[in-house]
């Protein structure tokens, strides 16, 4: 069994690095584990030569270099490794809350076990999302305390069967008869209180210093020894300010001669000598939110008498008289416990023995065996997993339908444009684009689910459109929250989207009243069709016209309008088409898929073969640019894609994805080519996390959708445009399920043909 470890690694001074090093060697004791197991090490520097890594480190990822993560995944996939272990801690991976690790694990083609060193009780949105995504890609999530198991199931909704409790391993060492530490100046003829680890303010060392005066009164030979360097992050930001403040406090309390700092990072063997030489070990952390403490585990494993504040890990590990607890910042209680134990040597010895006995089963060789069983099970499950003939669209993977956020954004005027997180931002008012989209979404929802909510909302959006129509049939776009017009004439885009919505309602109205009302608005706007100049305004209008013509197939005037609108689209394509460039403009910008979609609609209406050829050719070009990685990677708003230039990856927008979903569905309706349904569903999954950051934009709590995918995560604002784009895409995918019989039939036919050919 060859294992790939993804973690920080020595000589980097980091607790996770030490843990992973110990785990690698503990697992490596078993003969079934290959000596060629290797580490993919996380660097906290852009300098790849920052650390002199040992030979087992085969690949280095720079924390803040996104491309390194992708290359790291490729390195593991092309190796002969059988399984991966990921050490996870917030702070060691790049991007917002370490989001860069998600694209790596999503690309892994090996079974993955993830060890969580931190499980937060109150995670923010990104932290919650990242842990859920890690769990999705992991065959097993390992935690080190029962409380962590409870958090994962109750807060993160991770199934209990996916979680395994394996306590923190400890060194397999015994105390020495001639311990060199006992002969050092700090320990010789002293009663020693001891703390070790990377020093930072959250360790609460001032609580021990404040307790020293009372302890020294009864035991003047006491020495408090603090072993460890200051945390690198603290050094960068504050230098040795915290250590100096502790020294100053000791001088103020006249106990400076009873406090000593040993400022170095020691080996495990040296650390064990310190732990077995000390009389008591103290962890005075300042709050309960410490789910795992390696230093605490080491102290128990060494058989130390541990006194600790009641953080989560300490409550579990020090139960059954394996240690003593005192309240946070309560230096009086700490002093009392220390004095009592010094005054009762038998009780102190009993506590040490209890800790030592419990620590025996934590020793790394025993812990390594537990991990080996978990790894073997993970590999076996992966080998037994047989890819079933699953339907292309899996409705069980889709969120349940809910217009809750759309309702939240809608008042009796219309749907509000923007939201701050999931809260409507009334200051921004309303726009025609969003109310047109909302009308389409409402029609789809009523068709699909007979949604009473959608039926109630539909006239609100239709009324807004009517209110924004000018006397000449054109439309305004923006309206303030006080119902004041903010423009005289809207954009061609907003005009086209409105025609699309009206045409869709005319063809799919739930009652004749709505159909007649929509037809009045539609007909009044027709004189403006010929004035359209911008391609997307033209395309949106053509899509609306195609719906109108389904309800009125013999309207020669509208067929003529449709054909006239197709001319500038086809002309633009032919003028821009060139070597390796099959597009309507010299750049791909926004709502790109609408252009092929409009020509598909033209072909569907008129059977114009030229429109069909251009639509398919440009659609294939768009597919090559955005689906080439196995997931949708739409053109980013932050720079677009110019001919012969690199494509901007971010800011990715929801309306771009919606357009892709609609385009592929229309392509399938016309061609019945199964690949377009696959492309449609893959595009839809962008919303659910199948994207470049492996982060879902759909919010299961609010039922809204984030306003875009940015370099470091999701834009958490959930405005109307993005939320409507999600639900229109969602409902179109469900509409595609009406063709499921054809998908299955096509798949079975393909299988039969392949069987015959073989």
């Amino acid at each position: 069994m060859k294992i790939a470890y993804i973690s920080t690694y020595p000589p980097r001074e980091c607790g996770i690095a030490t843990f992973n090093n110990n785990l690698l060697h503990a697992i490596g004791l078993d003969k079934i584990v290959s000596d060629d197991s290797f580490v993919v090490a996380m660097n906290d520097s852009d300098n790849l030569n920052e650390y002199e890594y040992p030979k087992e480190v085969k690949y280095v990822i720079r924390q803040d270099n996104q491309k390194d993560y992708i290359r790291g995944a490729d390195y593991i996939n092309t190796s002969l490794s059988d399984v991966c272990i990921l050490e996870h801690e917030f702070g060691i991976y790049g991007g917002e809350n370490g989001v860069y690790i998600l694209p790596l694990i999503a690309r892994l083609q090996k079974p993955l076990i993830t060890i969580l060193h931190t499980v937060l009780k109150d995670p923010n949105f990104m932290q919650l999302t990242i842990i859920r995504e890690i769990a999705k890609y992991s065959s097993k999530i390992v935690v080190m305390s029962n409380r962590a198991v409870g958090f994962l199931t109750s807060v993160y909704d991770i199934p209990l069967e996916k979680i395994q409790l394996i306590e923190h391993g400890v060194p397999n060492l015994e105390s020495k008869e001639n311990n060199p530490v006992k002969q050092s100046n700090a320990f010789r003829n002293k009663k020693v209180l001891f703390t070790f680890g990377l020093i930072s303010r959250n360790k609460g060392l001032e609580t021990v210093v404040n307790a020293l005066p009372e302890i020294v009164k009864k035991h003047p030979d006491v020495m408090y020894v603090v072993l460890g360097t200051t945390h690198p992050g603290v050094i960068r930001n504050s230098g040795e300010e915290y250590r100096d403040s502790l020294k100053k406090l000791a001088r103020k309390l006249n106990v400076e001669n009873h406090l000593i700092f040993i400022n170095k990072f020691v080996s495990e063997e040296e650390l064990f000598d310190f732990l077995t030489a000390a009389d008591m070990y103290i962890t005075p952390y300042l709050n309960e939110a410490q789910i795992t403490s390696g230093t605490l585990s080491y102290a128990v494993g060494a058989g130390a008498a541990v006194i600790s504040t009641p953080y989560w890990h300490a409550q579990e590990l020090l139960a059954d008289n394996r240690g003593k607890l005192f309240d946070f910042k309560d230096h009086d209680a700490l002093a009392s416990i220390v004095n009592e134990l010094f005054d009762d040597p038998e009780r102190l010895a009993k506590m040490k023995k209890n800790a030592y006995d419990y620590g025996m089963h934590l020793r790394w060789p025993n812990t390594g065996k537990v991990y080996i069983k978990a790894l073997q099970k993970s590999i076996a499950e992966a080998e037994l997993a047989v890819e079933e003939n699953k339907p292309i669209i899996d409705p069980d993977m889709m969120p349940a339908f809910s217009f809750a956020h759309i309702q939240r954004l809608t008042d009796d005027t219309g749907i509000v444009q923007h939201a701050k997180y999931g809260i409507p931002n009334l200051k921004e008012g309303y726009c025609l684009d969003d109310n047109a989209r909302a009308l389409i979404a409402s029609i789809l929802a009523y068709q699909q689910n007979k949604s009473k909510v959608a039926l109630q909302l539909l006239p609100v959006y239709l009324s807004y459109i009517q209110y924004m129509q000018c006397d000449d049939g054109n439309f305004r776009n923006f309206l303030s929250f006080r119902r004041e017009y903010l423009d005289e004439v809207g954009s061609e885009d907003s005009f086209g989207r409105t025609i699309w919505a009206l045409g869709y309602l005319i063809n799919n109205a739930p009652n004749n009243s709505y159909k007649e009302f929509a037809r009045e608005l539609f007909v009044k706007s027709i004189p403006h069709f010929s004035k359209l100049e911008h391609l997307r305004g033209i395309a949106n209008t053509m899509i609306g016209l195609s719906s109108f013509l389904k309800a009125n197939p013999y309207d020669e005037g509208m067929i003529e309008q449709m054909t006239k609108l197709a001319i500038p689209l086809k002309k633009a394509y032919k003028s821009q088409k060139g070597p390796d460039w099959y597009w309507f403009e010299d750049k791909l910008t926004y709502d790109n898929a609408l252009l092929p979609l409009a020509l598909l609609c033209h072909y569907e209406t008129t059977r114009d073969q030229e429109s069909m050829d251009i639509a398919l050719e440009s659609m294939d070009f768009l597919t090559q640019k955005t689906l080439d990685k196995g997931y949708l990677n739409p053109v980013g708003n932050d720079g677009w894609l110019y001919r012969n230039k690199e494509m901007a990856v971010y800011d990715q927008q929801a309306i771009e994805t919606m357009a892709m979903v609609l385009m592929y569905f229309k392509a399938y309706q016309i061609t019945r080519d199964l690949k377009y349904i696959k492309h449609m569903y893959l595009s839809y999954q962008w919303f659910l996390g199948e994207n470049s950051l492996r982060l879902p934009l759909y919010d299961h709590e609010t039922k809204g959708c984030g306003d875009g995918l940015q370099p470091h995560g999701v834009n958490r604002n959930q405005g109307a445009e993005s939320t409507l784009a999600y639900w229109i895409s969602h409902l179109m995918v469900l509409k595609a399920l009406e063709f499921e019989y054809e998908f299955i039939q096509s798949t079975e036919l393909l299988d039969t043909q392949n069987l015959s050919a073989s």
Side-chain angles (χ1 to χ4, degrees):
M1 179 168 59
K2 184 174 180 178
I3 306 164
Y5 298 82
I6 307 167
S7 175
T8 56
Y9 205 71
R12 179 175 171 181
E13 295 180 0
C14 166
I16 308 299
T18 302
F19 179 94
N20 195 68
N21 179 253
N22 283 326
L23 181 63
L24 180 146
H25 290 295
I27 291 176
L29 294 173
D30 197 302
K31 293 180 180 178
I32 69 166
V33 177
S34 169
D35 291 337
D36 293 329
S37 294
F38 63 91
V39 175
V40 173
M42 298 302 307
N43 241 32
D44 55 352
S45 166
D46 282 338
N47 181 5
L48 290 171
N49 299 314
E50 178 78 11
Y51 303 106
E52 292 186 18
Y53 287 115
K55 63 180 181 179
E56 59 265 27
V57 173
K58 302 298 184 186
Y59 197 87
V60 177
I61 292 175
R62 292 165 292 185
Q63 181 172 326
D64 295 316
N65 189 315
Q66 282 182 283
K67 291 183 179 179
D68 281 4
Y69 291 81
I70 307 305
R71 297 185 189 110
D74 292 340
Y75 181 86
I76 294 169
N77 288 334
T78 54
S79 74
L80 296 177
S81 57
D82 301 294
V83 65
C84 293
I85 292 178
L86 172 73
E87 308 285 357
H88 184 270
E89 173 72 275
F90 291 111
I92 65 174
Y93 301 110
E96 183 183 352
N97 291 289
V99 71
Y100 289 174
I101 195 61
L102 295 186
L104 186 157
I105 63 175
R107 284 169 170 78
L108 284 180
Q109 297 165 10
K110 315 284 184 179
L112 174 69
I113 285 181
T114 298
I115 303 169
L116 298 181
H117 290 263
T118 296
V119 181
L120 301 173
K121 181 182 180 182
D122 298 302
N124 63 33
F125 176 83
M126 278 294 291
Q127 291 163 341
L128 179 72
T129 301
I130 287 168
I131 296 300
R132 283 176 172 170
E133 289 299 298
I134 288 173
K136 183 172 80 175
Y137 291 108
S138 302
S139 61
K140 190 69 71 175
I141 295 289
V142 174
V143 292
M144 304 180 205
S145 68
N146 285 297
R147 194 176 293 261
V149 175
F151 288 168
L152 287 182
T153 54
S154 63
V155 178
Y156 298 82
D157 296 321
I158 295 172
L160 183 61
E161 60 270 18
K162 203 162 198 175
I163 306 166
Q164 183 168 355
L165 172 61
I166 305 177
E167 290 189 82
H168 198 297
V170 302
N172 188 31
L173 298 169
E174 296 292 343
S175 59
K176 298 173 182 174
E177 287 187 19
N178 297 309
N179 188 338
V181 171
K182 285 187 176 181
Q183 304 308 314
S184 65
N185 291 333
F187 282 72
R188 190 187 305 122
N189 300 321
K190 300 288 195 307
K191 292 177 179 174
V192 177
L193 309 177
F194 180 58
T195 296
F196 80 93
L198 294 173
I199 296 173
S200 59
R201 285 193 178 275
N202 65 335
K203 298 300 174 68
L205 304 183
E206 62 274 11
T207 305
V208 187
V209 177
N210 280 316
L212 282 177
E214 285 300 312
I215 298 170
V216 170
K217 279 182 188 177
K218 293 195 70 175
H219 302 279
D221 54 347
V222 158
M223 182 67 71
Y224 180 38
V225 178
V226 180
L227 169 66
T229 59
T230 299
H231 193 286
V234 175
I235 287 285
R236 283 193 295 269
N237 296 321
S238 310
E240 292 289 3
E241 179 186 356
Y242 180 52
R243 190 190 298 265
D244 292 340
S245 73
L246 294 171
K247 292 177 181 178
K248 184 178 179 181
L249 177 61
R251 285 195 298 272
K252 178 182 176 182
L253 298 173
N254 295 316
V255 291
E256 68 269 24
N257 294 328
H258 299 270
L259 171 65
I260 186 168
F261 288 96
I262 302 175
N263 189 5
K264 67 176 183 177
F265 195 84
V266 298
S267 68
E268 279 195 345
E269 188 172 350
E270 288 178 281
L271 175 57
F272 202 84
D273 289 342
F274 275 97
L275 284 166
T276 52
D279 293 279
M280 298 178 208
Y281 176 74
I282 303 176
T283 54
Y285 299 157
L286 294 178
N287 62 71
E288 65 178 0
Q290 180 89 8
I291 205 78
T292 304
S293 170
T295 60
L296 180 68
S297 297
Y298 278 24
V300 169
V306 182
I307 308 170
S308 176
T309 49
Y311 55 89
W312 293 325
H313 195 200
Q315 290 178 37
E316 289 188 30
L317 199 53
L318 301 183
D320 300 325
N321 198 34
R322 292 190 290 270
K324 295 286 290 182
L325 301 176
F326 67 97
D327 205 1
F328 301 104
K329 301 182 182 180
D330 191 345
H331 58 85
D332 290 330
L334 172 59
S336 178
I337 292 171
V338 170
N339 285 331
E340 286 174 11
L341 289 174
F342 276 139
D343 291 340
D344 190 346
E346 289 186 10
R347 187 177 169 195
L348 181 61
K350 177 64 175 173
M351 201 161 74
K352 287 185 176 184
K353 185 177 186 304
N354 290 343
Y356 176 84
D357 290 344
Y358 188 82
M360 289 298 292
H361 90 277
L362 301 179
R363 296 199 174 192
W364 275 117
N366 296 326
T367 303
K369 290 176 183 176
V370 180
Y371 274 100
I372 287 172
K373 289 181 180 178
L375 292 166
Q376 288 175 318
K377 185 177 180 182
S378 180
I379 294 169
E381 288 174 353
E383 290 174 348
L384 289 172
V386 178
E387 189 63 33
E388 300 173 1
N389 286 325
K390 296 178 181 178
I392 296 171
I393 300 171
D394 184 357
D396 291 336
M397 296 295 291
M398 300 170 67
F401 170 79
S402 172
F403 258 22
H405 190 54
I406 291 174
Q407 283 181 280
R408 195 177 299 122
L409 292 171
T410 303
D411 60 18
D412 59 357
T413 298
I415 192 165
V416 175
Q417 279 191 81
H418 298 299
K420 190 69 175 175
Y421 298 99
I423 309 302
N425 184 356
L426 303 180
K427 293 179 180 179
E428 302 295 332
Y430 317 84
C431 73
L432 187 63
D433 298 83
D434 289 336
N435 281 274
R437 291 189 193 96
L439 182 60
I440 294 170
S442 298
I443 299 165
L444 282 167
Y446 183 69
Q447 286 179 321
Q448 189 65 42
N449 302 310
K450 296 300 177 206
S451 169
K452 292 181 180 179
V453 170
L455 193 60
Q456 290 167 354
L457 293 176
L458 192 154
V460 176
Y461 308 131
L462 185 56
S463 176
Y464 181 91
I465 292 171
Q466 188 266 345
Y467 187 68
M468 300 303 282
Q469 189 167 40
C470 305
D471 292 340
D472 66 354
N474 208 337
F475 295 91
R476 294 182 172 92
N477 191 3
F478 298 109
L479 191 72
S480 75
F481 185 64
R482 293 186 294 182
R483 297 183 179 177
E484 297 168 334
Y485 294 126
L486 298 178
D487 55 6
E488 291 300 318
V489 178
S491 66
E492 289 191 10
D493 280 7
S494 64
F495 178 90
R497 289 182 183 120
T498 305
I499 299 306
W500 181 350
L502 292 172
Y504 198 75
L505 179 57
I506 290 165
N507 190 46
N508 299 281
N511 60 53
N512 198 51
S513 173
Y514 291 162
K515 180 177 181 177
E516 289 177 2
F517 188 82
R519 185 183 175 90
E520 277 187 25
L521 302 179
F522 187 96
V523 170
K524 191 175 180 180
S525 70
I526 291 173
H528 296 276
F529 291 4
S530 61
K531 300 175 185 178
L532 295 170
E533 297 177 355
H534 299 288
L535 296 186
R536 282 160 186 78
I538 292 169
N540 278 297
T541 302
M542 288 175 66
I543 297 165
L545 257 174
S546 71
S547 288
F548 179 91
L549 285 166
K550 286 178 182 176
N552 304 275
Y554 305 112
D555 190 325
E556 294 295 333
M558 288 298 99
I559 294 172
E560 184 180 351
Q561 289 276 5
M562 185 76 159
T563 299
K564 284 181 179 179
L565 287 171
I567 293 170
L569 268 183
K570 293 193 283 188
K571 182 179 178 181
Y573 184 82
K574 287 183 278 189
S575 69
Q576 291 294 334
K577 177 182 174 181
D580 301 321
W581 190 259
Y582 303 93
W583 198 244
F584 303 82
E585 300 165 306
D586 65 349
K587 58 186 177 296
L588 288 156
T589 57
Y590 67 97
D591 251 356
N592 295 296
L594 292 185
L595 305 182
L597 173 58
L599 289 180
L600 287 171
C601 290
H602 183 235
Y603 170 79
E604 188 179 39
T605 303
T606 66
R607 296 299 161 182
D608 183 290
Q609 190 59 44
E610 184 181 39
S611 286
M612 181 65 164
D613 293 342
I614 292 174
L616 293 179
E617 191 172 63
S618 59
M619 183 168 56
D620 288 345
F621 177 72
L622 185 59
T623 300
Q624 291 167 18
K625 295 296 182 184
T626 59
L627 278 177
D628 62 318
K629 299 182 186 302
Y631 55 85
L632 181 63
N633 198 41
V635 176
N637 272 16
D638 190 18
W640 313 124
L641 170 58
Y642 285 80
R643 191 194 306 251
N644 300 323
K645 302 286 186 182
E646 287 290 318
M647 185 175 90
V649 179
Y650 304 104
D651 188 9
Q652 296 177 17
Q653 297 290 303
I655 57 166
E656 185 69 21
T657 301
M658 179 189 81
M660 297 289 282
V661 169
L662 297 172
M663 176 188 70
Y664 286 129
F665 183 50
K666 179 60 66 177
Y668 177 76
Q669 285 182 304
I670 294 171
T671 68
R672 289 302 194 261
D673 189 331
L674 202 60
K675 72 178 180 183
Y676 293 126
I677 288 296
K678 293 177 180 177
H679 291 342
M680 178 201 71
Y681 188 55
L682 193 59
S683 298
Y684 162 76
Q685 288 178 298
W686 177 89
F687 290 106
L688 305 182
E690 292 296 320
N691 51 53
S692 57
L693 290 184
R694 303 293 162 169
L695 284 174
L697 286 89
Y698 176 74
D699 187 334
H700 290 265
E701 294 179 354
T702 66
K703 316 306 179 189
C705 177
D707 277 352
L709 198 64
Q710 299 171 327
H712 303 294
V714 174
N715 182 335
R716 294 289 317 288
N717 296 328
Q718 298 173 7
E721 179 182 285
S722 54
T723 297
L724 290 165
Y726 170 73
W727 283 113
I728 289 172
S729 301
H730 177 101
L731 290 163
M732 288 305 295
V733 169
L734 292 180
K735 193 173 183 68
L737 273 173
E738 297 169 11
F739 296 86
E740 185 174 22
Y741 172 74
E742 292 184 13
F743 305 162
I744 296 169
Q745 192 176 50
S746 298
T747 304
E748 289 174 349
L749 180 62
L750 188 63
D751 290 342
T752 303
Q753 290 170 344
N754 290 339
L755 188 62
S756 300
S758 62

